[in-house]
Amino acid sequence: MNNSESGKSSSPWLLAVFWLYVLIPLSWGVWSTLKKALALFS
């Protein structure tokens, strides 16, 4: 079998939506963790 691309390319909009789907909860978690960590030191 040949593993070359079949001519289809990913939509930039679809990639952006999936990255946002990952980055929004990730950034919320990092922000929440930083706020709690700063509360420990103040």
Side-chain angles (χ1 to χ4, degrees):
M1 288 187 73
N2 190 357
N3 282 341
S4 66
E5 287 194 35
S6 62
K8 293 182 180 178
S9 63
S10 298
S11 168
W13 289 107
L14 188 60
L15 285 174
V17 167
F18 280 116
W19 272 111
L20 287 174
Y21 184 74
V22 170
L23 290 176
I24 289 173
L26 179 65
S27 61
W28 178 83
V30 169
W31 176 249
S32 176
T33 301
L34 286 175
K35 282 191 342 187
K36 289 179 181 180
L38 287 173
L40 290 174
F41 297 109
S42 62

